[in-house]
Amino acid sequence: MLRLTSRPALSMLRTSSPLIQAISKANSRTLATTPVVSLGRAKRLATSRRADPLPPPSLNVEPVLQPVLIGLTPSFTGNPNVPNDNVVVLDPTVFDHPIRRDILHLCVNHYRDSLRQGSANTKTRGEVRGSGRKIRRQKGSGKARLGDAQSPMLRGGGVAFGPKPRDFSTKLPRKVIQMGMRVALSAKVKEQRFGVLMKMDWPNGKTKFLAQKIQALGLKQTLFITGEEQIPVGLERAIRNIPLVDVTTSHRVNVYELLKWRRIILDAKAVDFFEQTLGKKNTPISFPVEPRVSSASL
């Protein structure tokens, strides 16, 4: 291996041998044409070369997530006094997402901005009814100069820089809204204000009996979410006049409603809908071999 020597070391190698003298002359010419690198720059180059990160491994192993277990809520037509030891197995990528308050803030503002009507309208001086005649002459009256009667400075004139009809809705990426749905559902699960019904239906449209059933189950201040395309007719008619209770579909629910209501109850089809639309398919999950509703107790 060749080693480069410094300039003072070359002067010490001078001898009477012609071969040594020729080698020393060649080395001196090479060093004379070689640029001198300062000590600080050499240290920076060495540090930058040393700080180069290692190439990432070719195989990234993701941790296996554990499923979320939720006790099954008694149905409307069942007996609330009979204990139910069934447990629902939920996808952790949907119902166990890390809580992101900033994402919830963006989704709530996005939804509430879309509710603003934006119909406020004022008339400018060009839209106010009246003549364009000059009120008085420009000079000689001893008073301030004025134009027509529609001036914003005068009573009954137009409005300067007043509101006009506008669209207050804002845009938000689809993936951010989907993450907001995961965070909202996971927050309800962590707060233990989340339930699952096998089927959400009511045989008739009587409000009285459904209100008694909801009172017996302790489901006041609850939003019921069904996975059907349309809300069942009997359930929609019966729940319409019950205060502090509402029902909607999984296709129409949004992040604002999930956060607004104290408790949310989903049926089996709604759970399947959220897991299919919001779940991450490439994440390894240790689901049990048994079907979705298992007989294990909490």
Side-chain angles (χ1 to χ4, degrees):
M1 184 177 63
L2 297 177
R3 294 183 180 179
L4 297 179
T5 59
S6 59
R7 293 180 187 272
L10 288 178
S11 60
M12 299 173 59
L13 294 177
R14 298 182 184 279
T15 58
S16 59
S17 173
L19 181 60
I20 296 297
Q21 292 179 1
I23 293 174
S24 63
K25 289 180 181 179
N27 288 339
S28 62
R29 287 195 299 269
T30 304
L31 291 176
T33 58
T34 303
V36 180
V37 180
S38 62
L39 182 60
R41 184 179 179 187
K43 288 182 178 180
R44 288 194 299 270
L45 290 174
T47 305
S48 63
R49 291 170 183 170
R50 198 182 309 116
D52 289 338
L54 296 176
S58 58
L59 180 61
N60 295 328
V61 180
E62 297 183 359
V64 179
L65 300 180
Q66 298 297 328
V68 181
L69 303 180
I70 296 294
L72 190 65
T73 304
S75 63
F76 292 148
T77 57
N79 189 357
N81 299 324
V82 177
N84 193 350
D85 57 352
N86 291 331
V87 174
V88 182
V89 182
L90 303 177
D91 188 352
T93 61
V94 179
F95 299 95
D96 194 17
H97 194 278
I99 303 301
R100 293 282 304 274
R101 297 183 62 183
D102 55 336
I103 299 297
L104 296 178
H105 178 74
L106 290 175
C107 294
V108 170
N109 284 351
H110 168 70
Y111 174 73
R112 297 191 67 184
D113 287 343
S114 64
L115 297 181
R116 298 188 64 176
Q117 190 171 359
S119 59
N121 187 17
T122 55
K123 293 184 178 181
T124 62
R125 65 183 303 167
E127 298 171 344
V128 175
R129 181 182 178 183
S131 172
R133 181 183 65 86
K134 188 175 175 63
I135 295 178
R136 54 175 174 260
R137 59 181 182 173
Q138 183 79 357
K139 293 178 178 294
S141 64
K143 298 180 181 180
R145 50 194 175 185
L146 291 176
D148 54 15
Q150 291 79 32
S151 172
M153 297 184 300
L154 301 179
R155 180 183 178 89
V159 178
F161 309 109
K164 287 291 184 180
R166 54 174 295 191
D167 183 13
F168 284 96
S169 62
T170 56
K171 295 183 179 180
L172 197 64
R174 175 179 54 86
K175 292 187 177 181
V176 177
I177 298 177
Q178 292 178 349
M179 184 184 293
M181 292 292 294
R182 297 191 198 100
V183 174
L185 293 172
S186 303
K188 291 299 181 182
V189 173
K190 288 180 171 59
E191 294 172 359
Q192 297 182 358
R193 296 176 179 176
F194 181 87
V196 178
L197 287 171
M198 285 303 299
K199 189 176 181 181
M200 195 174 297
D201 196 3
W202 188 247
N204 52 43
K206 293 294 184 180
T207 301
K208 176 181 177 181
F209 302 110
L210 181 59
Q212 294 176 356
K213 180 66 68 173
I214 291 176
Q215 184 69 26
L217 295 175
L219 298 180
K220 280 290 186 180
Q221 300 181 3
T222 302
L223 174 65
F224 295 95
I225 303 175
T226 178
E228 302 287 347
E229 293 290 339
Q230 298 293 334
I231 303 174
V233 179
L235 179 62
E236 186 178 11
R237 290 180 179 177
I239 209 172
R240 184 183 303 167
N241 295 327
I242 302 178
L244 303 178
V245 175
D246 198 4
V247 61
T248 185
T249 62
S250 56
H251 303 80
R252 293 183 295 183
V253 71
N254 52 67
V255 178
Y256 177 77
E257 291 182 344
L258 293 178
L259 299 177
K260 171 186 173 182
W261 287 91
R262 179 179 178 85
R263 185 186 294 105
I264 59 174
I265 301 293
L266 279 67
D267 62 357
K269 289 188 177 181
V271 173
D272 292 337
F273 174 80
F274 287 129
E275 289 184 352
Q276 292 176 5
T277 56
L278 304 177
K280 299 180 180 179
K281 300 179 180 179
N282 298 328
T283 303
I285 303 172
S286 61
F287 280 117
V289 182
E290 301 178 356
R292 176 177 303 280
V293 181
S294 62
S295 60
S297 59
L298 285 174

